[in-house]
Amino acid sequence: MSDRALGVACLLLSAFYIFMATQIQTSFITDYLGPKFFPILIGSLLAIAAIFPIIKPDPDPDWPGIGRLVEIVFAVAVMVAYTYALPIAGFVLSTAITSGILSWRLGAKPLSAAIAGVSISVGIYVVFHLVLQLSLARGPWGF
């Protein structure tokens, strides 16, 4: 039953996400796909993924222990803080710190997690900003 409830919740979330993506305002100068394409694609993928647990739920779900639930809540809190930090600290710094923290919580040693955070942040910045020329949140240093 819990799998079906999660599937339905994700299906409703995907419908809301796609609806909100259709509300994105476009200017007269836009790229070929437009700003709505990727959010609609992500919402569609979530909807497809949500259908599987509705159709075929796990007969005996294995719920995580209290320690794992605390880790999940912590990860969600880090992601919420990330959304607030983006406009202030910018994409590169916010993503480096968030990626580093999440890498550390996934089991990397602190130095490895810091290197992973910086690498992920710079890598995404290069691909999305420099190669694809998409706009990312600017930080106090202008990038």
Side-chain angles (χ1 to χ4, degrees), residues 19-141:
F19 171 73
M20 292 307 292
T22 62
Q23 305 303 307
I24 295 173
Q25 299 293 323
T26 57
S27 65
F28 65 93
I29 300 175
T30 184
D31 60 13
Y32 178 72
L33 296 175
K36 298 177 184 181
F37 175 75
F38 286 110
I40 291 173
L41 177 66
I42 291 169
S44 301
L45 292 174
L46 176 60
I48 291 167
I51 292 171
F52 182 76
I54 294 171
I55 294 172
K56 188 175 179 184
D58 187 354
D60 187 26
D62 185 24
W63 285 91
I66 189 72
R68 186 63 73 191
L69 286 174
V70 170
E71 288 285 340
I72 292 169
V73 169
F74 178 74
V76 169
V78 168
M79 294 304 294
V80 169
Y82 175 67
T83 61
Y84 284 105
L86 264 173
I88 299 166
F91 177 82
V92 175
L93 182 60
S94 299
T95 304
I97 292 170
T98 302
S99 299
I101 291 171
L102 293 177
S103 296
W104 169 61
R105 294 314 311 147
L106 286 171
K109 294 184 183 340
L111 180 60
S112 298
I115 292 169
V118 171
S119 300
I120 290 167
S121 177
V122 171
I124 293 172
Y125 179 81
V126 167
V127 170
F128 281 89
H129 186 71
L130 300 179
V131 174
L132 298 176
Q133 297 182 347
L134 297 174
S135 178
L136 299 173
R138 293 190 178 274
W141 303 286

